[in-house]
Amino acid sequence: MAERETWTTDEFGSSHEGSIGVLLPDGTVPQPAFFSLSSGAGGQTTSQWSVYDGHLGLTPKAHALRAVCSCGWTGTEYPLDWEQIGDQDLRVAAGDLAEECETEWWDGHTSAVEKSAVAVPEDITDLLSLVAEKIEKLAQQSPLAAVRAARLLEVTAVRAGYWPAHDVRAKASPEEAAAALGLNEDDTLHLLARFGDWNPYG
């Protein structure tokens, strides 16, 4: 059993990792649930929302679901109607609420993160989209050529980001850089170090 199902975007990655969170009746977040193996040797820990059904007293019963993000953002609380749920499997019975949480995270939170990040000129984003489309078309004719083109694009990106990364390091605080890039400070540090070719721990 996975620790929990999560969602990320290509650009923001683990800086904004979304999932469905659980609230108990007193408004607190339950501890991860532990399920021992049948052999008695060890077990698995999970925070997956669907295990909080109070079944056999192994986990507390969830009061509400909400979308949460690794950045600290939380979405709308959706109370669970246990009289209606009854003995149904929680994943099935509350599937619609779970989808509401996921949609709110994707459509609401990630859109807000994108808008709060520093703007990239439209001609640049259009050019990047055009290059991506051309590489996709090239892949239909020659996958190897497409891979090489993608590799050249990667090399170009690293070269182009070298001096800007050094300028950001010199002129912007970690907080300012993270906010402008839509990342947490640790991911920002590693991104700048990768482009600027320095040791992030140095």
Side-chain angles (χ1 to χ4, degrees):
M1 182 182 295
E3 198 278 330
R4 74 164 66 178
E5 294 174 354
T6 59
W7 328 299
T8 58
T9 67
D10 290 338
E11 181 177 2
F12 302 119
S14 61
S15 287
H16 294 279
E17 185 175 64
S19 61
I20 298 174
V22 170
L23 287 177
L24 299 179
D26 62 0
T28 61
V29 176
Q31 293 294 318
F34 177 78
F35 295 91
S36 59
L37 298 176
S38 58
S39 63
Q44 293 180 311
T45 300
T46 180
S47 296
Q48 178 64 15
W49 66 273
S50 55
V51 306
Y52 294 97
D53 56 5
H55 184 62
L56 300 179
L58 295 175
T59 59
K61 185 177 287 187
H63 170 70
L65 304 180
R66 63 178 179 176
V68 297
C69 184
S70 59
C71 72
W73 172 89
T74 58
T76 304
E77 296 179 15
Y78 295 95
L80 296 170
D81 185 345
W82 282 101
E83 290 188 6
Q84 183 176 1
I85 293 172
D87 294 329
Q88 298 179 75
D89 181 270
L90 184 56
R91 177 183 287 274
V92 176
D96 289 344
L97 294 185
E99 289 182 6
E100 290 282 350
C101 293
E102 186 172 358
T103 298
E104 184 178 8
W105 185 84
W106 282 106
D107 294 347
H109 179 56
T110 59
S111 294
V113 172
E114 289 175 357
K115 291 178 181 177
S116 67
V118 63
V120 176
E122 188 173 347
D123 61 336
I124 297 293
T125 57
D126 288 346
L127 183 58
L128 291 173
S129 296
L130 179 61
V131 171
E133 290 176 7
K134 287 187 174 295
I135 291 177
E136 289 176 2
K137 290 181 179 178
L138 177 60
Q140 297 173 8
Q141 303 170 2
S142 174
L144 283 173
V147 169
R148 187 179 180 201
R151 173 60 177 158
L152 290 174
L153 181 61
E154 182 180 55
V155 170
T156 301
V158 171
R159 287 177 179 169
Y162 180 83
W163 288 115
H166 281 269
D167 287 342
V168 170
R169 186 187 194 188
K171 299 176 182 178
S173 69
E175 296 84 358
E176 292 171 337
L181 295 173
L183 304 175
N184 60 41
E185 290 185 28
D186 188 58
D187 286 348
T188 298
L189 171 65
H190 283 79
L191 175 66
L192 294 176
R194 180 163 62 86
F195 279 141
D197 194 25
W198 69 74
N199 184 350
Y201 304 107

